[in-house]
């Protein structure tokens, strides 16, 4: 049995939590010292000791825990998690039945009522991501619930709760049968090679599914395409499949090159017809300017924060500069796909970055399309911070 602890929150927080806000903020808790062991189940009470919700204590970058139930009598056990998983699966019925897409999210943290936890499906395998030690302490109950509600070959996990909230390197296999990697999954009929047991990431970011589809179907035919921060080249592959004349993928990580070759080959595309550059994007900008290279389609999808030997980059500080350099390489009438997964930058701020970069470069622009998270990355209106993905298709005129 897990211990149960009463915690009191201030008036303001009580109102916010009652309106559906799922995150327990540190400032809200009046008896903070009572919080000792992560994984403790919390009965959250207002200043008059009226029940607000049940949560757990778990430390993430933000907050000290999540509200996971609004029923005072509901116990937090394997049956509880089974109900959450069942509801999450029901919401994704259509995707589950789509033969052309075999990888997607089945449970998205607070969007599905379980802040701090996500579960993804990769063609017969499940990948659990734990965002705090607190939620990790419910591991046995959650695994029991998964065994009851899901059919699978095997389960893997990522523990994302070292001191900085980063991934803890480990053998990520949990149970069932081990996958043989690379595993080839499908997304709208496109193949991607993934590995569920090779570090923090799997090879494909599932939240960009709709963006990849748009790039393939509407923006690539005949285009010279540049993919900045290309990782395994998923956008390049989609552009090539959509008829791009040539793609150029740029990423500073050495591993990006063999991984990108693998993604091309998984789709019977000849990687030698494409360019894969292992370099800092800011160096590449200089090189491309010297060679007077320009592109019809440029995807810019940096990490929120990155540190290389030479510089640190943060979306909040440096995106406008990044876009300005991108505009230089974009042909008149070309399209920039500006993307960020930074929750520190709102849609409004991101639009301002685009406006400022174009203005400073004297370029005209037209926003053609705008994407946020796909439906399987379910978010709730009470927690807009959960909707972190922002992608704009911007047509540039010079
Ligand atoms: N756009 C990719 C995901 C990008 S992940 C996709 O859709 O799959 C971020 C990538 O940025 C990582 O692969 C990392 O190696 C790379 N990166 C970080 N800083 C960089 C820099 N200064 N120049 C080039 N690549 C960088």
């Amino acid at each position: 049995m897990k211990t149960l602890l009463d915690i009191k929150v201030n008036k303001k927080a009580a109102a916010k939590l009652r309106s559906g806000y799922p995150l327990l903020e540190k400032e809200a808790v009046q008896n903070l010292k009572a919080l000792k062991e992560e994984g403790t189940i919390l009965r959250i009470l207002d200043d008059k000791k009226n029940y607000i919700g049940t949560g757990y204590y778990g430390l993430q970058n933000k907050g000290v825990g999540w509200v996971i139930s609004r029923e005072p009598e509901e116990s937090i056990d394997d049956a509880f998690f089974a109900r959450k998983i069942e509801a999450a699966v029901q919401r994704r019925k259509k995707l589950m039945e789509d033969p052309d897409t075999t990888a997607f999210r089945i449970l998205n943290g607070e969007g599905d009522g379980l802040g701090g936890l996500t579960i993804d499906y990769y063609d017969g395998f499940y990948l659990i991501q734990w965002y705090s030690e607190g939620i990790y302490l419910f591991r046995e109950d959650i695994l029991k619930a998964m065994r009851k509600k899901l059919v699978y070959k095997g389960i893997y996990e990522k523990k994302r709760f070292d001191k900085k909230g980063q991934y803890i390197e480990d053998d990520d296999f949990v149970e069932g049968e081990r996958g043989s990697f690379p595993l080839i999954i499908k997304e709208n009929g496109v193949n991607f090679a993934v590995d569920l047991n090779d570090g923090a990431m799997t090879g494909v970011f599932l939240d960009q599914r709709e963006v990849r589809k748009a790039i393939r179907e509407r923006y690539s035919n005949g285009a010279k395409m540049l993919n900045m921060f290309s990782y395994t080249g998923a956008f390049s592959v989609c552009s090539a499949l959509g008829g791009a004349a040539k793609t150029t993928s740029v990423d500073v990580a050495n591993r990006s090159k063999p991984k990108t070759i693998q993604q091309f080959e998984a789709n019977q595309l000849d990687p030698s017809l494409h360019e894969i550059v292992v370099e800092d994007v800011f160096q590449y900008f200089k090189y491309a300017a010297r060679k007077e290279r320009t592109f019809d389609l440029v995807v810019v999808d940096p990490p929120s924060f990155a540190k290389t030997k030479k510089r640190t980059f943060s979306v909040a500080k440096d995106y406008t500069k990044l876009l300005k350099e991108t505009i230089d390489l974009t042909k008149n009438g070309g399209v920039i796909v500006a993307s960020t997964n930074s929750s520190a930058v709102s849609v409004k701020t991101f639009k301002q970055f685009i406006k400022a970069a174009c203005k400073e470069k004297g370029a005209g622009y037209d926003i053609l399309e705008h994407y946020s998270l796909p439906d399987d990355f379910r978010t709730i209106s009470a927690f807009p911070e959960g909707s972190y993905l922002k992608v704009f298709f911007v047509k540039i005129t010079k």
Side-chain angles (χ1 to χ4, degrees), residues 224 288 291-296 298 328-331 398:
K224 275 173 72 183
K291 296 272 179 190
E292 295 182 6
R293 282 205 179 181
T294 53
F295 298 87
D296 305 291
V298 187
D328 286 340
L329 301 190
T330 308
K331 286 190 208 285
K398 290 179 163 174

Side-chain angles (χ1 to χ4, degrees), residues 47-154:
D47 56 348
K48 302 215 167 59
K49 294 203 169 174
N50 292 313
Y51 174 85
I52 301 173
T54 305
Y56 70 88
Y57 175 37
L59 293 172
Q60 288 187 228
N61 311 352
K62 237 189 133 206
V64 294
W66 294 94
V67 179
I68 54 175
S69 171
R70 306 264 174 185
E71 305 286 337
E73 303 305 326
E74 189 168 47
S75 29
I76 308 304
D77 51 16
D78 57 315
F80 165 82
F81 290 109
R83 288 193 294 279
K84 295 283 183 191
I85 290 170
E86 174 70 31
V89 167
Q90 287 306 324
R91 293 184 185 115
R92 286 135 177 114
K93 263 248 147 82
K94 246 177 90 187
L95 263 177
M96 292 234 155
E97 286 161 6
D98 179 358
D100 290 330
T101 299
T102 60
F104 47 87
R105 179 149 292 186
I106 71 136
L107 188 144
N108 192 42
E110 73 287 345
D112 287 293
L114 285 180
L117 174 79
T118 65
I119 306 176
D120 295 327
Y121 178 73
Y122 287 89
D123 197 19
F125 293 87
Y126 283 100
L127 175 69
I128 312 171
Q129 307 200 69
W130 313 98
Y131 285 88
S132 74
E133 195 170 343
I135 190 71
Y136 190 69
L137 289 167
F138 294 94
R139 188 174 185 265
E140 278 318 308
D141 281 340
I142 291 169
L143 286 175
K144 245 192 227 168
M146 289 176 73
R147 281 176 211 131
K148 195 148 68 184
K149 290 290 169 188
L150 305 171
V151 178
Y152 53 83
K153 293 181 191 153

Side-chain angles (χ1 to χ4, degrees), residues 205 229-231 234-235 251-253 255 279-281 301 303 306 308:
F205 288 99
F229 305 94
S230 55
Y231 180 44
F235 287 126
D251 196 291
V252 75
R255 56 146 209 254
E279 196 171 42
D280 187 316
V281 296
D301 179 34
T308 56

Side-chain angles (χ1 to χ4, degrees), residues 201 203-205 207-208 212 227-236 250-256 263 277-284 299-308 311-313 339 341:
M201 299 183 290
V204 63
F205 288 99
D207 53 4
Q208 296 274 17
R212 282 189 286 266
N227 185 2
M228 299 298 241
F229 305 94
S230 55
Y231 180 44
T232 65
F235 287 126
S236 312
V250 183
D251 196 291
V252 75
N254 284 323
R255 56 146 209 254
S256 68
Q263 299 298 25
V277 185
V278 175
E279 196 171 42
D280 187 316
V281 296
F282 293 97
Q283 286 302 118
Y284 185 80
V299 178
V300 187
D301 179 34
S304 302
F305 188 81
K307 214 174 168 161
T308 56
R311 73 181 87 239
T312 52
F313 170 88
S339 167
N341 60 6

Side-chain angles (χ1 to χ4, degrees), residues 135-199:
I135 190 71
Y136 190 69
L137 289 167
F138 294 94
R139 188 174 185 265
E140 278 318 308
D141 281 340
I142 291 169
L143 286 175
K144 245 192 227 168
M146 289 176 73
R147 281 176 211 131
K148 195 148 68 184
K149 290 290 169 188
L150 305 171
V151 178
Y152 53 83
K153 293 181 191 153
I155 299 181
Y156 285 80
E157 68 183 352
K158 304 283 175 204
K159 298 188 285 270
R160 299 194 177 276
F161 53 82
D162 80 349
K163 288 216 174 62
K164 286 188 186 149
Q166 298 293 314
Y167 168 73
I168 300 169
E169 191 69 54
D170 205 346
D171 176 2
D172 290 339
F173 176 69
V174 177
E175 66 175 45
E177 85 188 47
R178 278 184 184 261
S180 122
F181 300 123
L183 175 73
I184 306 295
I185 61 99
K186 264 193 198 311
E187 177 190 274
N188 293 314
V190 178
N191 292 333
F192 289 113
V194 300
D195 190 331
L196 305 183
N197 204 356
D198 182 24

